[in-house]
Amino acid sequence: MKKKLAVLLSMAVMTAGFAACGDKAETTEATTEATTEAVVEEATVDQPSEMEYISGDGWRVTYDPTVIEASETDAGANFVYIGESAGTNMVSISYIKDKLPAEALYDITSTWGAEEEDIEYHEGIFPGTEDKWGFWRSYNTKEGNTGLSESAIAAEYNDGVLVFDIVNHFADNDEVDMPVSGAIEELINSIKYDDFKDQTAFYYVPGVYKSVDEDGLETSVELKEDHTGTLHFQDDIDIIWSSYEIYDEADSFRYEYSIEQNTLYLDYDGNTLEFTREGATPTDPSEDK
């Protein structure tokens, strides 16, 4: 009887031990699972939400790798949107040495199959800068809010030209189109430069040009290197100057102008006004190379 009891007690102890081991195993498994989940969650949180592409030509951009895929080209890089979209959406950034913006833009726009009058043209501050000048070309084949839009932006850049070539397809669905536009816009606006040298194409423009009328009233046009300036007429008016126009920030007026030697000709509401440059005639910087 004692032997039987001892056996029963022994079995009870073993059963309790197995139960304890089972509880421990379940606890360990639960702990391992929780730890794994924490590691996965932590890895997801720590995963980079943006990447940087650094070009050997002195420019760099950041982009979201979950929706944009980058690949190198001979002249730069392509950035293709890989999220949901109506078609191909991408930005190509290229540096072309010993070329002018007009030439680079023609090479791109001539492949669009568009009539010249259907291509929109404007100028402005180049992305990523506050004082460098760029040139835009854009063409839409959209019907309503669907279709294709192509744009090219070029600027004189370090003895060559830097070009953005942008392709957009639209679905007429804000839930699809807005993330695409946002990702491409953020990429373009993120561009930075190691050393964006002074542009020289408009070396002959900056200066102060004065005129005195028959009554001795003096007026002047001041054009600065950063494409800003001032019209000193009856009032002082801050302006922006492009390759052929002078206008204010509110775009309430636009006056065409041209410069020959030291004379600035301004088409002022249909009247041609002449202004003479103060100081010496600028010299072409390329002559010093």
Side-chain angles (χ1 to χ4, degrees), residues 150-263:
E150 299 186 66
S151 300
I153 313 170
E156 176 191 344
Y157 175 75
N158 298 0
D159 300 320
V161 59
L162 193 64
V163 184
F164 292 87
D165 187 1
I166 308 158
V167 176
N168 285 123
H169 281 87
F170 298 93
D172 193 20
N173 182 338
D174 286 347
E175 291 185 1
V176 174
D177 294 335
M178 290 181 69
V180 177
S181 298
I184 288 179
E185 183 179 351
E186 286 180 8
L187 183 144
I188 293 173
N189 289 337
S190 76
I191 193 164
K192 293 181 174 57
Y193 310 95
D194 296 337
D195 181 21
F196 200 136
K197 294 181 173 60
D198 291 339
Q199 296 176 321
T200 61
F202 299 110
Y203 76 91
Y204 61 92
V205 174
V208 177
Y209 302 82
K210 290 188 175 182
S211 177
V212 181
D213 65 14
E214 298 174 350
D215 299 324
L217 178 63
E218 180 180 284
T219 56
S220 66
V221 179
E222 180 183 5
L223 304 179
K224 300 178 181 179
E225 291 184 0
D226 64 358
H227 287 266
T228 65
T230 308
L231 295 182
H232 299 284
F233 287 6
Q234 290 181 338
D235 298 310
D236 291 344
I237 304 172
D238 292 333
I239 55 93
I240 300 168
W241 60 271
S242 70
S243 61
Y244 69 100
E245 281 186 321
I246 290 173
Y247 55 95
D248 65 342
E249 289 188 0
D251 202 15
S252 61
F253 65 80
R254 285 182 176 264
Y255 304 137
E256 292 191 7
Y257 80 96
S258 62
I259 295 175
E260 296 179 13
Q261 297 296 323
N262 290 318
T263 303

Side-chain angles (χ1 to χ4, degrees), residues 2-237:
K2 289 181 180 179
K3 187 174 181 181
K4 184 177 180 181
L5 181 60
V7 171
L8 291 174
L9 288 172
S10 177
M11 290 178 63
V13 169
M14 290 174 64
T15 303
F18 284 129
C21 288
D23 291 342
K24 184 176 181 181
E26 290 176 5
T27 304
T28 302
E29 183 179 352
T31 303
T32 302
E33 184 178 351
T35 303
T36 302
E37 289 178 356
V39 170
V40 171
E41 184 178 356
E42 183 178 356
T44 303
V45 170
D46 292 341
Q47 185 178 2
S49 60
E50 66 177 29
M51 294 185 70
E52 184 176 51
Y53 177 88
I54 302 174
S55 167
D57 295 314
W59 58 267
R60 63 186 65 203
V61 293
T62 57
Y63 61 95
D64 182 348
T66 65
V67 293
I68 289 181
E69 185 175 77
S71 60
E72 289 191 337
T73 65
D74 291 341
N78 290 335
F79 302 89
V80 181
Y81 188 84
I82 57 175
E84 182 183 1
S85 65
T88 300
N89 294 274
M90 63 181 293
V91 180
S92 296
I93 306 178
S94 305
Y95 171 68
I96 308 169
K97 193 170 178 61
D98 298 327
K99 210 161 200 177
L100 297 174
E103 296 175 282
L105 288 172
Y106 175 79
D107 290 344
I108 294 173
T109 59
S110 61
T111 68
W112 290 351
E115 298 294 333
E116 184 65 28
E117 59 269 20
D118 294 329
I119 297 176
E120 296 181 7
Y121 167 95
H122 70 276
E123 304 177 17
I125 297 297
F126 194 64
T129 76
E130 295 181 351
D131 59 354
K132 302 299 188 291
W133 204 245
F135 302 85
W136 275 250
R137 302 286 188 275
S138 58
Y139 174 60
N140 294 318
T141 59
K142 294 195 300 181
E143 295 182 4
N145 293 319
T146 63
L148 170 67
S149 171
E150 299 186 66
S151 300
I153 313 170
E156 176 191 344
Y157 175 75
N158 298 0
D159 300 320
V161 59
L162 193 64
V163 184
F164 292 87
D165 187 1
I166 308 158
V167 176
N168 285 123
H169 281 87
F170 298 93
D172 193 20
N173 182 338
D174 286 347
E175 291 185 1
V176 174
D177 294 335
M178 290 181 69
V180 177
S181 298
I184 288 179
E185 183 179 351
E186 286 180 8
L187 183 144
I188 293 173
N189 289 337
S190 76
I191 193 164
K192 293 181 174 57
Y193 310 95
D194 296 337
D195 181 21
F196 200 136
K197 294 181 173 60
D198 291 339
Q199 296 176 321
T200 61
F202 299 110
Y203 76 91
Y204 61 92
V205 174
V208 177
Y209 302 82
K210 290 188 175 182
S211 177
V212 181
D213 65 14
E214 298 174 350
D215 299 324
L217 178 63
E218 180 180 284
T219 56
S220 66
V221 179
E222 180 183 5
L223 304 179
K224 300 178 181 179
E225 291 184 0
D226 64 358
H227 287 266
T228 65
T230 308
L231 295 182
H232 299 284
F233 287 6
Q234 290 181 338
D235 298 310
D236 291 344
I237 304 172

